Every structure is written in C-alpha cells, then in structure tokens.
C-alpha cells in the first residue's frame, strides 16, 4: 500500500510547535542525565551483546483506555518475568512516550523491533509514575500497574505515539542501572474529532467447518445424522460461535454468514443423531437446547443489521477456478448454492440477506477467480490489498471499492487491518498489543489525508477463535468514540465512490500466492463430486419423493467443495467417499433378485423376474429389459430378442415381472436382465441366468410312459389268455372227443380257394 511520507493535514499551530519543542527538550533531559550516570562501557557492552535488554520479559496485559482522552488518565498493567540466570536488583518499571509515528510503515517497523534501542526508544517519564521491585530472582514473575495523567505523557499533535514499558535494574555481573526488558505499543492520540472521518466496515464472519453427513433417518422428519457432536462446543457458552454472536451483538459490524452453518444448527434444534465411534451406529445428539439458545440469540443480534450470505457451504472459489472449472458441471453448483443461501438465511434468521458478494480465500484474486466468483450472479468480489496492490503512487490508502470491469466491483479490504488478529490472542499481552496496533493503523489512515473521506473495509480470518473474536471486539470498542472513524455497512461500502487513481488491475494468474494454491482442493475432488452428482441424477428420476434424497445429497455436494477443507485433503476425501458410498447403498436398495436357472419345456412358457425395493418410498419410471443372447434358440414376446416391461414398486415391496419365451431349438440359452431408467440409462447391476430349452416336457414324458405301460399290460394279458386256452386244449385231447369250440392245435397251409359256407376261418 502506498504511504504518505508523513501524515497529511496535521500542521500544528505556533503555540503547539513551542509546546512540542519544549516537551521534546524536557523528555530528553532525563535521558541525557541517565546516560551521564551510566558507565562508559555499558552502552557499548549492551550493543555488542544484544541480549541485555531481553533479560526480563515485559508483558503488557492492559492499557486503558486504549485511546486516551484529553484530561483523562492512562493505566498500564502487566507482568515482568526474569528470563535470565541472575537475580535482578534495584529494579523498576517505567513508561516512555515518543516518538510520533510518521506513517503506517513506521508503525509496522516499531512493532517488529525487539530489545531497547538508544535514541529510538523514549526516556522514562520518571518520578512517581514507576513501579519498584527490590529484587527479581531468576524465573520469577511479578505484576505491575502504573497510572499516568494524560497531561504527563507529553502528547502534542494528533497522531500515533510509541509507548515503551521498560524494566530498569542491575545484575551481579552488570552492577549498573540499565534496561533489562522492554515492550512497545502505541497510543492513538486524537483529542478532537476529525472533520472527515474514515468510514470503517468490519466483516463479522459466522462460518464453521462441515458437521452434517448426507445420511438421514428413514422417519418422516428425516432426522439428520452428524459425523460428531463437536459443533455443540462451539455453540455453548464460551465457545467460538457463541462468543462471536455475543460480542457481535454489541458491535457495528456487517454479519457474513455461511447458510450451511445456519441450516446445520437449525437441524440440531429439531433433534438429531450422531455417528458413534465405530461409524456403524448412531446415538441421539445432546446439544439441542444449546442450538436453540444460540439461534435465538443470533436472530435477535442481526435484526435491523446488514447480513451478507455466502453461497451455501462457502465454496472454495479459487479451487474451482484453478482445479475445478475443467471438470464438467463443477461451476453449475454455484448458482443453486447462492439461491439456497438466500432461502436459508431468510427462513432461519427472518431477515433478507445480500447475496451479491463473493469472498475468495484471503481475498486473493486473479482473472479466473473473479470469473468464477461472479458466475453465480455476484457483482462484488471481496479482495485484499496485498493481492490487488496499489501501483498509482497514491500518498494515502484509497477507498475499498474499485471497478474492475464487466460490471464487477472489487471491494478491497485493508490487509494490515484484516490480518491484525490472526495470531495467538489467548494471552492478554498479545491481545493488547494487537488492539493498540489496530487502532494506531486506523488513525494513521485518517491522518494521511484529513480532507478526503475514505471507505475502508476489514475482512478478518474466516474462522476466528474465541480469543481472536474478543480481541477484535476490544479493538472496535476502542473506536466507539468515533473521533476519527465511523461505522459503515458492507453494502454501502461497495457503493462508495472509488478513488480515481486507485488500482483496478486484477493481478495475473501467475501472481496468485503459491502458499494458497498448495492448499486448494485437487482436480480429483471435483471429479468425485461429478461422479456423485451423475449417480444422484440417475437415482432421483425413479423416486416418488425426490426431495427426501435430492436435498440432503445436494447439500452434501455443496459441502464437498467448501473452503473449510483447505489444508485437510485427507479429511475432505473421506467425506466425499462417505457421501458417495451412502448414495450407492441407497441405489442398491432397488435391485433385481438373483434368479436360478430355468428349464423351458415345450414350445413356449412364462419367465418371471423379481424387482425388489427396500427404500421407504416407492420407485417408478423404471424399465426392466430381458435379452436373449441366442435368439435362434429362444425368442421373447413372440419374435423379439429383447423384451421390456415398465416397473413400479411400492416402498418395502417386491414385484414379479413376467415375460413370454418361445423356443426354437433345444439347449441352454443365457438370458440377461437389466433395469433402465426411462431415458435408457442402465440402473444398478445386471442379472444373468440360463434357460435350458427342452422340447419334451416332464408332463409329456409321463404321458408317453403311461401309454407304454398300458401297451405292456395289454400284451401281458393277451399272452396269459392264449396260454390258458392252449393248456385247456391239450387237456381235452387226452381224455375225450374234441370239442367243436376248441381250437385246432395245428393248422395247415392256408388254401387260396374260397371257403365253404359255415366254415370258420381262424387267422
């Protein structure tokens, strides 16, 4: 960011100039006296060693008020800890003010310095405004608190002053008074309101990682299933999200929400299930009351305030631009995600959000990121000044809004202010330093050009911790007096008049930060998402209640491309695998029941195939296709190789579908059954079975066998009768005259002459 050589518009009056010179002279007197009292070798020794002023750690825990007012007092409290190996004696903590910072860069440089530097660090105020310690043994800590009237601080012209809190003392090896520890911070001094106050927009993000799975219960309410119950800790008192809502309720901020978080918490309020540790079963969630309380508090906090809704699940725009745009269908998710966002926020928070903003990670942009960011209809892209850097030589920080072409506005957040609280804010010392530096930078921006009002935007980290949120809130409360700044909502900031010389050139793709590029979702992630979407599209067309499946899986697909997966590719992959596996398990609930081989006896018969539906809802718009692989032997439905039947099965039921088969020749014939959707897309796995064609059926064989048996029985009867007759004839010839009715035992050759009348011819 271009800097002014000094603060503009701060020319002091003659009286102020005299006071300033007098104060500088008086401030320098104790320093000179102190130097005269020191042994000549001491400064040189400290300079050579470079560690003398780092012997004691000075922690500045509180500074109140953070922006002093004329006629008031300033209280500084903290802790000193002896990090050295020797006992420090005759020690005291003192304060020194000065010099006034000339630019934003000067503030940065002062904050980075460590150790005491003669000439750069101001002399002590001295007198009664010190805290004495007779002895400070090695490893021991002591607390201190010093209160000083503002009039004693030597503050002159408006601006940012350096405040040094130093520990003076001596050790056995260095028996002379010296600075053994120092901490620096900043005092923003603005005794009177500026005429043109900086308009400050602070984004307050309500975003979390993914907690919901694609699974739901089979009950009417479709009870949601969470992968764990960790979100409850964030919502509970003292948790990260609870602190954000509680603190934000009292701040002039623009809420930036991920509608997925709202939908997730809303699902918790209605009762939910949580996966057990084995991942196979679920148990009831325990944070329903916590979720209700948090959501109620949020609804109250956002009433009458500007709310910016990100696309559902906060999709990673840069990953889409660099890795996903070449995978068909990837970009098509953005517009539905934006539409869902508006509906979710309005129904849950009872307020209408703005969906006209896109927020790439860390505000890093290039042409492809901008194209993707606006593809869902957003006209404003939240960038950051370390990405869209100034090249026009402006002597001040320009307003955030910049037209970048195509009807798109880049709202460029200030990088210094946006990253002010990204470090560890869990200790009071670190938090206090960050707050004071933030306030110093805001005043420095205003004083760069007091005649020109500008609009500055702050876009902090997406997932601030509870301690970071507390530090952010403390900094904003430091601006409550509105002496040099005033709050402005994000929608108004995007419409602010841009500076004519502010850069509007979006950096090229080669300039996109390499560290951020390494964290992006890989192309495989979008390929997985496409595979899941294709399977979902194929599945939903057969359902009678599509919303029960489309909604949870559609949201899961949005979540699979969330920004929250950055740096956690293994976890992201596991989530995508879980979504797809569960979808496959549902599609497998509609399947063909494996059929055993069949025998077709005779010329024609009926072949039944069973379709089973284990889903709780019915399926329709399915077609069952049966195909004979050897049409010369077996045809279907008369003379067809392939036969089809429409399929409609109620939830939890099975249906037997029958086909007519006609045999042309004997032998085994493989037959393939496959379900299709009505558009001809195969559904599920195919099933193959064999039909054995045999012309003689078992029934026919029984009839034939019965006929043969009857013939055999008839032959046996005739043979028996003849045998009995022959036996009788033989018995009559031996005992009496031949009877006319008895047959002749032997007959001669047949005569060709006509027989006489009454002659019996036995043939």
């Amino acid at each position: 960011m271009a800097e002014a050589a000094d603060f503009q518009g701060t020319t002091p009056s003659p009286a102020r100039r005299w006071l300033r010179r007098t104060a500088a002279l008086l401030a320098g007197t104790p320093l000179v006296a102190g130097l005269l009292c020191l042994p000549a070798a001491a400064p040189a020794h400290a300079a050579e060693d470079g560690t003398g002023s780092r012997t004691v750690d000075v922690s500045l825990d509180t500074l109140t008020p953070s922006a002093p007012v004329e006629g008031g007092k300033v209280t500084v409290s903290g802790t000193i800890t002896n990090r050295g190996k020797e006992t420090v004696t005759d020690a005291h903590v003192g304060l020194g003010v000065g010099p006034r910072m000339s630019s934003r860069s000067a503030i940065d440089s002062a904050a980075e310095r460590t150790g005491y530097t003669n000439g750069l660090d101001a002399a002590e105020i001295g007198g009664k405004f010190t805290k004495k310690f007779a002895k400070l043994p090695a490893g021991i800590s002591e607390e201190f608190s010093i209160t000083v009237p503002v009039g004693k601080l030597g503050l002159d012209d408006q601006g940012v002053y350096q405040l040094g809190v130093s520990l003076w003392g001596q050790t056995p090896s260095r028996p002379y008074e010296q600075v053994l520890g120092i901490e620096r911070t900043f005092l923003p001094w603005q005794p009177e309101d500026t005429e043109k106050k900086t308009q400050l927009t602070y984004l307050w993000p309500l975003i979390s990682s993914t907690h919901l799975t694609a699974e739901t219960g089979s009950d009417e309410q479709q009870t949601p299933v969470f992968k764990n119950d960790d979100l409850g800790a964030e919502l509970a008192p003292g948790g990260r999200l609870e602190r954000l809502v509680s603190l934000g309720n009292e701040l002039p901020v623009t809420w930036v929400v991920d509608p997925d978080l709202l939908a997730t918490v809303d699902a918790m309020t209605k009762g939910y299930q949580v996966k057990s540790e084995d991942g196979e079963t679920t148990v009831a969630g325990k944070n329903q009351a916590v979720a209700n309380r948090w959501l109620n508090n949020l609804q109250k906090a956002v009433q009458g305030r500007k709310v910016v809704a990100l696309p559902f699940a906060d999709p990673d725009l840069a990953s889409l631009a660099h890795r996903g745009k070449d995978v068909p269908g990837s970009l098509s998710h953005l517009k539905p995600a934006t539409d869902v966002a508006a509906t979710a926020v309005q129904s849950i928070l009872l307020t209408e959000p703005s969906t006209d903003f896109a927020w790439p990670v860390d505000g890093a942009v290039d042409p492809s990121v901008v194209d993707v960011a606006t593809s869902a209809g957003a006209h404003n892209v939240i960038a950051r000044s370390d990405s869209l850097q100034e090249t026009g030589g402006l002597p001040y920080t320009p307003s955030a809004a910049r037209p970048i072409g195509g009807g798109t506005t880049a709202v460029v957040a200030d990088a210094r202010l946006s990253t002010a609280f990204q470090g560890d804010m869990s200790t009071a010392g670190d938090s206090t330093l960050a707050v004071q530096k933030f306030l110093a930078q805001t005043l420095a921006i205003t004083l760069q050009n007091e005649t020109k009002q500008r609009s500055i935007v702050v876009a902090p980290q997406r997932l601030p911790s509870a301690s970071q949120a507390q530090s952010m809130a403390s900094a904003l409360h430091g601006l409550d007096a509105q002496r040099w700044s005033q709050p402005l909502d994000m929608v108004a900031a995007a419409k602010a008049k841009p500076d004519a010389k502010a850069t509007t050139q979006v950096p090229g793709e080669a300039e996109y930060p390499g560290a951020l590029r390494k964290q992006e979702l890989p192309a495989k992630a979008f390929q997985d998402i496409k595979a899941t979407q294709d399977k979902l599209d194929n599945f939903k067309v057969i359902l009678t209640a599509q919303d029960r499946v489309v909604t949870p899986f559609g949201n899961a697909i949005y979540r699979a491309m969330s920004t929250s997966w950055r740096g956690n590719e293994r976890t992201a992959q596991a989530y995508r695998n879980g979504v797809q596996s569960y979808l496959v398990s549902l599609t497998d609930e509609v399947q063909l029941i494996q059929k055993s081989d069949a025998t077709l006896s005779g010329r024609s018969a009926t072949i039944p195939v069973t379709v089973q539906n284990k889903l709780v809802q019915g399926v329709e718009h399915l077609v069952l296709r049966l195909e004979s692989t050897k049409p010369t032997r077996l045809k279907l439905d008369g003379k067809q190789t392939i036969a089809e039947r429409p399929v409609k099965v109620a939830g939890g039921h099975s249906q037997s579908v029958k086909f007519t088969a006609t045999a042309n020749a004997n032998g085994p014939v493989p037959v393939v059954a496959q379900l299709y959707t009505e558009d001809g897309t195969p559904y599920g796995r195919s099933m193959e079975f064999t039909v054995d064609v045999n012309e003689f059926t078992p029934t026919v064989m029984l009839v034939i066998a019965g006929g043969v048996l009857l013939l055999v029985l008839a032959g046996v009867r005739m043979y028996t009768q003849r045998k009995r007759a022959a036996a009788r004839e033989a018995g009559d010839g031996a005992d009496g005259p031949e009877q006319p009715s008895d047959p002749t035992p032997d007959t001669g050759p047949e005569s060709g002459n006509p027989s006489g009348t009454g002659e019996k011819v036995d043939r």
Side-chain angles (χ1 to χ4, degrees):
M1 184 71 68
E3 296 283 358
D6 204 336
F7 296 142
Q8 305 295 315
T10 59
T11 304
S13 64
R16 284 203 170 195
R17 284 198 297 269
W18 180 84
L19 287 172
R20 184 176 175 181
R21 287 195 295 270
T22 303
L25 179 61
L26 292 174
T29 301
L31 174 62
V32 174
L35 291 174
L36 292 175
C37 294
L38 292 176
H45 184 83
E48 289 175 5
D49 187 272
T51 59
S53 60
R54 299 180 183 87
T55 302
V56 176
D57 177 57
V58 179
S59 174
L60 181 59
D61 297 337
T62 64
L63 195 161
T64 54
S66 53
V69 295
E70 202 163 19
K73 295 181 179 181
V74 172
T75 298
V76 178
S77 62
T79 306
I80 55 173
T81 304
N82 186 355
R83 303 295 187 189
K85 298 180 180 180
E86 298 179 298
T87 297
V88 176
T89 56
D90 298 325
H92 72 272
V93 176
L95 306 180
V97 177
R100 190 170 70 95
M101 303 289 99
S102 61
S103 66
R104 298 187 70 186
S105 296
I107 295 173
D108 293 336
S109 298
E112 292 172 358
R113 283 194 296 118
T114 59
Y116 177 77
T117 304
N118 187 20
L120 293 180
D121 289 302
E124 280 188 310
I125 297 174
K128 61 181 180 179
F129 306 115
T130 61
K131 173 67 175 179
K132 297 182 179 180
F133 299 93
K135 182 185 297 185
L136 186 64
I140 298 300
S141 298
E142 294 283 356
E143 295 180 350
F144 68 89
S145 181
I146 302 172
T147 300
V148 183
V150 171
K152 297 292 184 179
L153 295 176
L155 303 176
D156 188 8
D157 296 328
Q158 61 184 356
V160 177
Y161 289 82
Q162 178 180 301
L163 173 66
V165 182
S166 54
L167 185 285
W168 293 74
Q170 53 185 299
T171 62
S173 62
R174 296 177 182 176
Y176 46 81
E177 189 177 54
Q178 59 191 297
V179 176
L180 296 176
I182 187 170
E183 184 62 271
R184 298 178 188 81
T185 189
F186 305 99
L187 280 178
W189 173 240
Q190 185 64 36
E192 300 174 357
D193 290 3
T194 56
E195 182 180 351
K196 299 288 187 180
K197 299 176 183 179
T198 299
Q199 295 175 322
L200 188 71
T201 301
Y202 206 104
L203 304 185
W204 201 251
L206 280 182
I207 302 171
S208 186
S209 56
T210 296
H211 297 277
L212 265 173
T213 70
E215 298 182 37
T216 60
S218 58
D219 54 324
E220 186 65 29
Q221 293 75 26
Q222 285 189 274
T223 300
V225 177
F226 285 60
K227 63 180 181 179
N228 52 51
D229 215 358
D230 293 351
L231 184 57
E234 294 189 59
L235 303 174
R240 188 182 72 85
L241 292 172
E242 186 276 334
R243 297 305 299 148
L244 280 167
V245 171
S246 178
L247 295 168
N249 184 43
E250 302 174 352
L251 298 171
V253 295
T254 296
W255 298 82
V256 180
V257 301
D258 175 8
D260 180 32
L261 172 61
L262 302 182
T264 301
V265 178
D266 186 57
M268 294 174 68
T269 65
K270 300 175 176 64
Y272 63 104
Q273 293 286 310
V274 177
K275 278 186 170 295
S276 57
E277 292 184 1
D278 60 13
E280 300 297 328
T281 58
T282 60
V283 296
K286 300 179 180 179
N287 290 293
Q288 185 175 358
V290 169
N292 268 303
R293 182 168 56 249
W294 183 85
L295 204 54
N296 288 335
N297 291 338
L298 178 59
Q299 288 172 343
K300 296 174 184 176
V302 301
Q303 291 306 308
R305 314 279 284 278
K306 290 296 182 183
V307 176
V308 170
L310 300 175
F312 193 91
D314 188 19
D316 192 333
L317 303 175
S319 293
L320 276 164
H322 299 152
R323 314 288 179 93
K325 64 182 179 182
D326 294 331
V327 178
S330 294
L331 298 183
S332 65
H333 295 291
L334 285 179
K335 183 62 170 66
T338 300
D339 295 340
V340 171
T343 302
V345 174
Q346 195 161 10
S347 62
I348 297 173
L349 293 187
L350 309 179
T351 187
E352 186 173 354
S354 171
T355 58
D356 203 24
F357 292 86
W359 190 11
V361 172
D362 288 355
V365 294
D366 60 31
S368 64
V369 173
V370 172
D371 289 344
V372 168
T374 58
S375 64
H379 297 93
N380 302 292
V381 179
I382 303 172
R384 210 167 69 182
S385 61
D386 50 353
S387 178
L388 207 67
Q389 298 184 15
E390 293 306 312
T391 57
L394 282 174
Y396 56 82
T397 303
S399 288
R402 322 283 173 83
I404 56 176
T408 302
T409 298
V411 184
V412 184
D414 186 83
R416 285 187 177 96
L417 300 180
S418 298
T419 59
F421 304 102
Q422 285 189 355
D424 181 8
M425 298 289 114
S426 59
T427 63
D430 291 333
S431 176
T432 298
L433 295 180
V435 168
Q436 294 305 124
K437 185 179 179 183
F438 178 90
L439 296 175
Q441 289 285 358
T442 59
L443 178 56
I445 289 173
T446 301
L447 297 181
Q448 285 174 338
N449 190 338
E450 292 182 82
T451 64
K452 183 178 180 61
Q453 186 175 51
R454 283 155 290 143
S455 170
I456 304 300
V457 170
V458 182
Q461 58 273 29
R462 267 176 158 76
L463 301 173
S465 65
S467 59
Q468 289 172 340
Q470 181 64 62
S471 298
M472 290 155 55
S474 297
L476 290 176
H477 280 307
L479 298 173
D480 283 343
Q482 298 185 20
R483 295 200 293 269
W484 64 84
S485 70
Q486 61 187 28
L488 185 70
D489 66 72
M490 186 61 165
V491 175
K495 296 178 181 178
K497 183 179 179 180
D499 289 89
K501 294 184 179 180
T503 184
T504 58
Q505 183 64 44
V506 176
E509 191 165 330
E511 299 175 63
Y512 189 84
L516 291 180
R517 193 180 291 272
K518 290 179 181 178
Q519 296 178 350
E520 292 175 350
L521 294 171
K524 184 181 183 303
F526 298 99
Q527 293 165 357
D528 291 344
I529 291 169
K530 181 180 184 305
T532 301
Q533 183 65 59
D534 290 346
K535 188 170 288 292
L536 178 61
D537 291 341
N538 192 37
F539 184 41
K540 70 181 182 181
V541 297
I542 73 168
L543 303 176
T544 56
Q546 293 186 4
D547 287 348
R548 290 182 64 90
V549 172
V550 172
T551 299
F553 277 100
N555 291 343
I557 287 173
Y558 298 146
R559 294 180 184 114
M561 58 179 69
S562 172
T563 299
S564 65
W565 299 118
R566 279 195 167 234
N568 297 289
E569 172 51 27
R570 182 176 298 180
T571 307
Q573 181 69 64
Y575 180 81
R576 296 193 301 271
N577 291 345
V579 172
Q580 192 168 95
S581 296
Y582 182 59
L583 180 57
V584 169
S585 71
L586 289 183
T587 60
D588 286 346
E589 299 285 23
V590 180
Q591 60 181 339
L592 298 172
I593 300 298
Q594 183 60 47
K595 183 177 178 59
S596 59
D597 293 344
T599 300
L600 180 62
S601 301
R603 304 294 296 174
S604 64
T606 298
I607 300 177
V609 178
T610 302
V611 182
Q612 184 181 53
N613 175 20
K614 294 182 180 179
L615 298 173
V616 296
Q617 64 172 294
V619 296
E620 56 188 8
H621 306 304
L622 275 172
V623 174
L624 176 58
R625 181 181 298 176
L626 199 64
E627 181 177 3
S628 170
T629 60
K630 294 183 178 181
T632 56
R633 292 187 180 180
L634 184 70
K635 291 188 179 296
L636 303 171
D637 287 354
K639 299 182 179 181
Q640 303 297 319
T641 302
I642 297 175
E644 294 182 346
R645 298 284 188 277
V647 174
K648 184 176 182 180
V649 189
H653 289 74
S654 298
Q655 178 183 343
S656 181
V657 183
K658 298 179 179 180
F659 296 86
T660 301
T662 303
N664 295 323
N666 292 348
V669 179
V671 176
V672 179
Q674 173 70 60
L675 286 171
Y676 287 85
T677 56
E678 288 185 339
D679 63 358
T681 303
Y683 181 91
R685 291 181 291 272
S686 62
M687 178 187 69
E688 183 175 327
F689 60 95
T690 300
V691 175
D692 190 9
V693 179
N694 188 341
E695 188 175 354
F696 298 103
T697 66
T699 303
V700 173
M701 294 297 293
L702 286 174
V703 172
I704 294 173
V708 171
L709 180 59
L710 289 175
L711 290 173
V712 170
L713 291 175
V716 170
R717 184 171 182 278
M718 290 176 62
Y719 173 77
T720 304
Q721 287 178 343
R722 290 195 176 200
K723 187 174 181 181
R724 288 177 180 173
R728 284 197 297 269
E729 287 181 1
D732 291 344
D735 300 325
E738 181 180 350
Q739 299 298 321
S741 60
D742 290 335
T744 304
D746 293 313
T747 60
E750 254 184 51
S751 171
N753 299 323
S755 59
T757 303
E759 182 181 4
K760 180 180 181 181
V761 178
D762 201 359
R763 299 183 181 271

